Structure formats: C-alpha cells, structure tokens
Amino acid sequence: MTANRISLEALERGTPFAQRHIGPDSEAQAKMLAQVGFASLDELTATAVPDVIKSTEALNLPEARTEAEVLAELRGLADRNQVLSSMIGLGYHGTFTPPVILRNVMENPAWYTAYTPYQPEISQGRLEALLNFQTVVADLTGLPTSGASLLDEGTAAAEAMALARRVGKVKDGVFLVDADCLPQTVAVIQTRAEPTGVEVVVADLSEGIPAEVAERGVFGVLLQYPGATGAVRDPRAVIEQAHELGAIVTVAADLLALTLLTSPGELGADIAVGSSQRFGVPMGFGGPHAGFMAVRDTYARSLPGRLVGVSVDADGNKAYRLALQTREQHIRREKATSNICTAQVLLAVMAGMYAVYHGPEGLAAIARRTHRYAAVLAAGLRAGGAEVVGEAFFDTLTVRVPGRAAEVVAAAREAGVNLRLTDADHVGIACDETTGREQLAAVWSAFGITELPAIDELDAATEDALPAGLLRSDAYLTHPVFHQHRSETAMLRYLRRLADRDYALDRGMIPLGSCTMKLNATTEMEPVTWPEFGGLHPFAPVEQAEGYLTLIRELEERLAAVTGYDKVSLQPNAGSQGELAGLLAVRAYHRANGDEQRTVCLIPSSAHGTNAASAVMAGMKVVVVKTGEDGEVDTADLHAKIDKHRDELAVLMVTYPSTHGVFEEHISEICAAVHEAGGQVYVDGANLNALVGLAGPGAFGGDVSHLNLHKTFCIPHGGGGPGVGPVAVRSHLAPYLPNHPLQPTAGPETGVGPVSAAPWGSAGILPISWAYVRLMGGEGLKRATQVAVLSANYIAKRLEPHYPVLYTGPGGLVAHECIIDLRPLTKATGVTVDDVAKRLIDYGFHAPTMSFPVAGTLMIEPTESEDLAELDRFCATMIAIREEIDKVGSGEWAKDDNPLRNAPHTAAALGGEWSHAYSREEAVFPAGVSAADKYWPPVRRIDGAYGDRNLVCSCPPLDEYDG
Ligand SMILES: *Cc1c(COP(=O)(O)O)cnc(C)c1O
C-alpha cells in the first residue's frame, strides 16, 4: 500500500557492521575526499597504491554477516567444543576467575583497549596493576626483580636460557634441562637453541648432574618445581653443584605451589620463570596468559621484556613508568636482550588482581585445598591398589598402570574428566582450584576402584604430601595492596580507580603510528569469555575442540586469502614471535637446499627494532641497508649490499608500506633483486592495515610475512598485550612452519618445532579476528583500508600548513599513517616532540608514536574507526598547539616556563600558588576542552632518568604512600 515499503530482506540485513566499524559515514567521507582532492575512495587508493602491487581480484571471502548472525555462528562453534574437567596439568590448570575481575578487567574496555604504557602520565592505573604483578612474582619466587610479563612459560624459559648465556661466566658448554621439565617447554627451548648454536642436553638430574655432562661445561641449568610428573624434589644440591660449575640456574615454578613451598630464590636459584595462568586466567585452549621471569638483583638490567619502575613527577610525587626503556629492542636492535615487544599485559593485570583480591592467606587456602584434593586422591588410589609414583607432590600425581594407561584415560574421559596420557604405562592427574569430590570419584572409577571409604574418612586418615624440608616459612605479599581489597565493594572500587587514571580507546583516539589502534568491537570480544572457548586445555583431545579447530582453520584460510600467501600458522603469540617463526622457516629452507652459508639478513635502517632482534635469534647476521632522503630504501645501497653478500644472502626484511608511512614504488623491483641473488623476502606485515583488499604481500613479491592480529584484525591491545602474530608463507616455506610435539595436527611434521608453548598460541582470542573478518566480508575489509588511507591523508592535508609532513609517496599521498616533522620547530623554539606529546594530554589526547622511525617526529595513524568529528578535534588540537609553539617562538612565553614545557597539568593546577605567565585556564582547559568532559592526568611529567638510577620494581614501602 505505502510507497515507502522496505522489503523484509533489506530490513533483515539491518545496519551492515562495516558502518559500525568504519567511523566516517559516506557524507563525512565525501568531505574528507574533497579536502584530499579526490572524487572517490577508489580514485584515492588507485593513485596512492603503486600499480605494480595492486590486486586485480576481489578478496575471496564469505559475504559479510550481521552481528546477530555472527554471534549465532560463534555460538554454534562454541557448542562444538566440549568442556570436560581438565586434570591434564602440564602448566595449564582450571581456575575460578573472580567475576569482579572477569567483568571489570577482562571484559572492560577501559583495561583492554589501552595501549602499552609508553606515555606513563596517562597509564598510571595499569602501571600500578603491573607493579602489583611484579610484586606477586618477586615475593612468591623469592627473587627481587620481576618483569611485567613474558609471552608464556615455554618462551620465558627460552629467554632464561639466553639470559644465562649472556650474563653467566661460562661462555661455552651446554644448556642442561632436567627431564622432569614440561615437555612443551623443552621443545620451545630446543627450537630457540638450535639456530644460536646452543646444545641442549636433557637429563635426569634427580641424582645430580651426570659427570659426563659436567665435563663438557654447563652455562645454564633448568629445573621444574614441582616437576611435570608432579614430583616435588629438593633442588638445593643440584643448584649448588651447578653453581660450582659456574652455571646460572633457572627454576620454572608454579606460583600457586610457591604459596606453600620454599621459594626458588631461597633455594639458591638465579632466575625463576613460569606462567601466572592459574591466577584467575582461563585456559583458553592455550592462551593468552602472562608468563613471568624474576631474577637476582645483579641481572635486573638484563631482564628481557618490560619492567615497571617507580619514579617521581615534576612536583616530586611518586609516579610509575617503564624502567630502563633504552633496553628495548627499538634502541638496541641486534644487540637487544630479546625480541619481545608486545607482551601479556591484560593477563598480568588479571593475575596480579587475583592476588590482590585473595591476599596471601586466600592464595594459600586455594593452594591447600588443591593439595588436599591431590593427597586424598592419592590415598584413594593407593587404597584401591594403584601405584602412585613418589611420595612428595603438590597438585599432580603420576600413577603407574602397566599397559593400561590409555584405557584409564579413556574411561575417565567417558566420565567427563581429561587426564594426561603420559605414556603407555603412566597416567598424570592434576588437581586445581576447581577440583571437587565429583572429579575424585570419576578418577577412582576410571582406575576401576569402586570400594573406597567415604572421602571425609580418607581425608582424616591422610597426611599432607608436601616435603617437610621444603615448607615455606617466610612472609609474602605483605604490602597493604594485598590486604585492603578483600570485599567485592573494595575490589570493584580499586579497579575503577585505577581504570579512571588511564586513557584508553574508550575515552578517545589513540593515533599511534604503526600500532593501528582501531575499534575492538564488543561482538568480536563477547565469545572470548564464553566457557566453551575459555575452558579448554591446550592439550585436550582434538575431538573435543571441533569448534576451535574449525575456527582456526577458517581463520588461517581467510588470512591466507587476504595476504596472498598459501599457508598460515597462528601459533606465534606476538608479532615478534611471528618474525622469529618466519625467519626460522627461511633458515630451514636454505639449509634444506644445502645453502647453510646463507645467513645474512638485510634490514633497512628504518625497520622496527624487533626485526633485527629476531634475526639474531634466528642465527642470522644483520646487515643494515640505508634509508634515502625520501624515506625509501636506498636502492643503490641495497644493490651494493646484495652484491657484497650475494652468496650469503638469506633474506631481506622489509616493512610494507614502509615504517615511514608511504607506499614505496620500488618494492617489486627490490623483491626481484633479492630473489635473483637467491635470497628470500620477508615483508613485515605490521602495516597490513594499508593493504587489506588492495594488495597482498604474498602476491607482490614476499615469501613470508607476519601479521599482527592485535593491530590489523581487531584484537585489543590490552595495555601491551595480548597479541597474535601469525606467520604467513608461500608454499615453498610451508614445510618449515612451527609445529608442536603434543599436538601433531598443529603444524607440518617437517616443521621447525614450537615457537610458543601452546599448539595454537593464544587460541582464546582468535574468535575476535575470526568475527571481524566474518562481520566485514571482503568488501567491508577493503573499504576499511580505503578509509584508513583517506583518514591519514585527511590529517596530513589539514596539518601540512602547520607542520611539515615528512614523507609522501605516489601522488603526494601518504599510506595509512603520516609523519609530521617537529625538528625545525624544535630548533627554532626549543619546544620538543616530548612537550607536544605531553601537551596533547591536557587537550585530552593520547600522543602519536614519538620519534619512531625518525627522531624528533610524530607518526600519526588514525585508522578507519575514528569518525570525522574526532579527526577534526585532533587536527584542531594540533593546530592550537602549533599556535602555542609560536608564542614560545615569539618570546611571549618563556622557553622554560610555558604550557608545553610544563605539560601535562593536573587538577592540582587549579589550587595553590600560580606563578606562570599563562593562566590556570590555559593550562587545564585549553581551546576546545570542556570542563565537564576533561580527562585529568593523575601525575605531572615523570622524570625518567631518576627512575632508572633508583630502580624500584615492586610495590614501594608503605611510608612512601603518604605523600
Ligand atoms: C608492532 C610491530 C612489530 C612487533 O610486533 P609485536 O606484536 O609487538 O611483537 C614489528 N614490526 C612492526 C613494523 C611493528 O609495528
């Protein structure tokens, strides 16, 4: 009847998700295009992207679906995962995430959308949370300096091996690993050791270090405490023996066990590593979880990864910051301590908060409960005639059932419990915080034990099985923060208070070049905390993970389609690990061809610091290629270096679009020159947000790339992790992708071994990227890229009259980010890039990337998700700041006393004395800032050097809390 009837089918389609993900609507896009001087998005990207790399075909991906449809599909996949009670152990345990932490940290964008705390003034909340984590690890391990998380236990142990080799007295010799270490840890260590020429010896150290190994020299020893079999052995004698040999001793320890057992530090260990997963972080089929490392004081300055420290701000107040930032790979490159960049911040925050909420008594009670179940379980097994191996254990038992292990494991599975099939004769059983009487009964019956006394009777008749000589007697977690938040109200408010100190994407734009801080849609996030995704053990039988495996296979295939590669592995749990995996594949390929001498890795000087660090870890020799004036790879220098190293050339690592934010036109030519010399081309895919749907690195010359799903594919940054860094390869490198000893389906038989502890790395967050691709479809993804390029060019055009834009590519256009050059202004006025970054805080912004890849510049990446109003607010702010700089230049404001130099200003500026030439209003409410919506930084500018000189990396003592 009515003329404006809309079809049911159209209404069912609703608002396409792409319109939610992409900030500027078509009207805004038209305005932005006009500013940039193009009639359409297609016309813009046709000019910006060089012809030689442009894809001619649309992405081969399924049609976009609505949010409701995608959630329903994910529900279907979740239903195909079977969550049994997990008693597999091996470093992954059931845990009860306190709902107050689940909802207010893990599911809270104030925490999960934050960036790495490189701008400490707007990151005090997560820095405090990380300091709590460091304190937990330091206290429980008995070693004073802990970092703010590593990627997982296996890689933490591998980092410990590298650290031991770096700082130890013994420079040759082997790395000795006790046979009772976690099997996946041993495998990760072997993967890491091989390319760096380290020999790993695995031996039973229960009777000490075998003489024939000692004779060869030992630079490091790794022990597991408690062991993989569950055995708790006193390691003091082995540690002493190792020290006599000059070796550095690492103890891989279980934090929950350490609440009851003597700490590794007290036992004499130099380094402790492990996983904090069972402190409230779901297993998630392998991750993400925060690995940890703590060391003796002497090694504090050699710790891999990030370290939070205490310093002071401009008013002398206590403030937190990342300590020793100069150690980061950005500065140290091939001399870096490790390649780790993105870590596991969100999960470290959760683990730290779990300890804050439970306190030392609560944690010990959880440990006691866990132990008691294990003790009663063992008593029942023994009473029923089974042979429990060993007397001393914490939570894990090994039971000997000659020839019957598989049968027992199968029976338990029937009863809803997964056990570990250690070998044909042994079954492993691990108890945890979630173990109950029901599981005990199921296990006994799986062993064929039916006639048992009541559990309470068994309990009454059973002693603890913790060795008397190893009971912990010192106090830990004595700091007030672990005692003040025991009620849920107190905890809720503590979490809120910390979150409110921080600036995350839920407040405004984070225009960080190279980091792609785009929307992390709620629909994408929701499934992550569904138990069907969170509750799976990484070594659960694959039949129980059908939903996961389908999702993983589809995501791998779709990422291959997007990048133009043939095969993808999702195992690497950060971009840095993807780099390592990719380079290991290149290495293995050359060796398979008999080209063992091909070890030179060419890296342009503008590359991200992880590139060089990863190359060294892959056993390669880094040769730096110059960058030209125009920001492009200096092709003359490249050709010279190729010629010079022709026979040893392994690979060129090149970022595309370049770290300078331009589409280099010579890329195909560069790839061809490297191939012609017998080398491989590694395209660092961190900037894939400029390419998706327009060009694929696998199609325009790359042999291998890593992607950062926490940049391009919507996994939130978490304040510095988690991430996923898939490695994508062309078919000739596919046989050398990572695999896993405990999950044969996770990679090729001919693979290079695992680069992560878990078969599919941080599987628990893969639903996010899967959902993003499903919601957007090929068209939506391409549109997102085009708008990202449009937004960057819009900003470049608007800021150009005020700040020089450093590099442009074809058509005078930038790619998805742009670099503005502050150096001439700094020279003329003394206002530095730091001053501008801190002044942006007063205006309610997170600074762009500072001084990377060019010192004295800002790199701005708006992404497609910021709408025009936010882009305009940013441009207006940058222009207003330019006017402020002019006032310093003209002498109206003194060089050493102006709102830029004194930024950021806190609420304290509104009271007390005021002796500046500018007003209080100019300080805290500069143009465009509303008093109602003001973001107040909690501290003033932080003195970095002070914190590095006075290294404090755990919660400072109480008396410092008064000021
Ligand atoms: C982010 C980034 C990396 C490292 O990735 P992580 O996930 O942080 O390890 C490597 N290269 C470039 C260009 C990057 O921007």
Side-chain angles (χ1 to χ4, degrees), residues 138 147 182 229 267 305 582 662 836 844 851 855 900:
L182 299 176
T229 56
L267 296 170
V662 294
V836 173
S851 292
L900 291 140

Side-chain angles (χ1 to χ4, degrees), residues 864-876:
E864 69 278 12
S865 295
E866 296 301 337
D867 62 27
L868 182 55
E870 186 71 351
L871 298 175
D872 280 340
R873 185 172 77 95
F874 179 73
C875 293

Side-chain angles (χ1 to χ4, degrees), residues 628-689:
E629 284 291 304
D630 55 359
E632 304 216 357
V633 173
D634 179 334
T635 36
D637 190 49
L638 177 72
H639 286 293
K641 299 265 158 76
I642 290 176
D643 282 341
K644 179 157 178 227
H645 301 285
R646 182 164 286 271
D647 297 332
E648 301 101 64
L649 181 60
V651 62
L652 165 76
M653 284 187 100
V654 59
T655 305
Y656 200 86
S658 78
T659 49
H660 292 128
V662 294
F663 289 108
E664 302 207 355
E665 294 189 81
H666 302 296
I667 185 69
S668 303
E669 196 185 308
I670 290 172
C671 295
V674 171
H675 285 146
E676 187 272 324
Q680 296 281 292
V681 176
Y682 187 111
V683 179
D684 180 326
N687 289 343
L688 201 74
N689 214 47

Side-chain angles (χ1 to χ4, degrees), residues 433-496:
E433 177 185 10
T434 67
T435 304
R437 292 167 185 238
E438 216 179 295
Q439 282 81 19
L440 261 50
V443 172
W444 285 324
S445 91
F447 279 88
I449 300 167
T450 45
E451 309 269 305
L452 276 182
I455 285 187
D456 290 313
E457 270 173 55
L458 270 176
D459 178 33
T462 305
E463 292 300 314
D464 275 351
L466 297 168
L470 287 171
L471 293 182
R472 183 157 195 156
S473 56
D474 59 334
Y476 50 83
L477 305 186
T478 54
H479 192 276
V481 75
F482 302 106
H483 299 266
Q484 289 166 337
H485 310 289
R486 212 61 88 243
S487 79
E488 182 165 331
T489 302
M491 188 68 193
L492 176 70
R493 290 178 186 159
Y494 181 54
L495 293 172
R496 175 64 192 259

Side-chain angles (χ1 to χ4, degrees), residues 254-521:
D254 179 312
L255 289 182
L256 192 62
L258 293 185
T259 63
L260 304 179
L261 295 175
T262 307
S263 71
E266 196 172 328
L267 296 170
D270 305 294
I271 304 172
V273 296
S275 164
S276 60
Q277 178 266 320
R278 72 191 310 178
F279 276 25
V281 182
M283 287 185 285
F285 203 38
H289 316 128
F292 65 79
M293 181 186 290
V295 296
R296 282 181 186 287
D297 266 340
T298 26
Y299 308 138
R301 285 165 199 269
S302 307
L303 255 189
R306 300 187 182 117
L307 178 65
V308 175
V310 183
S311 191
V312 292
D313 77 355
D315 289 336
N317 290 323
K318 179 179 61 70
Y320 309 114
R321 63 181 281 277
L322 291 179
L324 308 176
Q325 287 202 12
T326 44
R327 296 172 323 120
E328 293 266 348
Q329 357 70 22
H330 268 313
I331 317 284
R332 310 261 331 248
R333 295 174 172 270
E334 65 271 21
K335 296 187 192 68
T337 47
S338 109
N339 69 341
I340 185 166
C341 181
T342 291
Q344 301 282 20
V345 170
L346 188 71
L347 305 313
V349 169
M350 288 179 70
M353 288 303 173
Y354 179 91
V356 165
Y357 196 41
H358 287 299
E361 313 81 21
L363 293 176
I366 292 167
R368 284 190 187 292
R369 173 193 157 125
T370 300
H371 176 64
R372 207 75 286 274
Y373 271 111
V376 172
L377 178 62
L381 287 166
R382 284 184 173 131
E387 181 190 347
V388 179
V389 181
E391 293 302 319
F393 53 81
F394 165 61
D395 64 350
T396 300
L397 310 175
T398 293
V399 189
R400 214 172 93 82
V401 272
R404 280 184 52 221
E407 180 193 316
V408 169
V409 169
R413 197 175 298 167
E414 278 303 304
V417 177
N418 281 330
L419 304 179
R420 174 187 178 204
L421 180 62
T422 310
D423 58 36
D425 303 329
H426 296 89
V427 175
I429 314 167
C431 297
D432 61 48
E433 177 185 10
T434 67
T435 304
R437 292 167 185 238
E438 216 179 295
Q439 282 81 19
L440 261 50
V443 172
W444 285 324
S445 91
F447 279 88
I449 300 167
T450 45
E451 309 269 305
L452 276 182
I455 285 187
D456 290 313
E457 270 173 55
L458 270 176
D459 178 33
T462 305
E463 292 300 314
D464 275 351
L466 297 168
L470 287 171
L471 293 182
R472 183 157 195 156
S473 56
D474 59 334
Y476 50 83
L477 305 186
T478 54
H479 192 276
V481 75
F482 302 106
H483 299 266
Q484 289 166 337
H485 310 289
R486 212 61 88 243
S487 79
E488 182 165 331
T489 302
M491 188 68 193
L492 176 70
R493 290 178 186 159
Y494 181 54
L495 293 172
R496 175 64 192 259
R497 188 149 52 88
L498 293 191
D500 277 355
R501 290 182 189 166
D502 285 14
Y503 185 102
L505 279 178
D506 62 338
R507 284 187 195 272
M509 173 179 189
I510 303 185
L512 281 163
S514 212
C515 300
T516 314
M517 298 292 289
K518 58 163 71 173
L519 171 74
N520 318 116

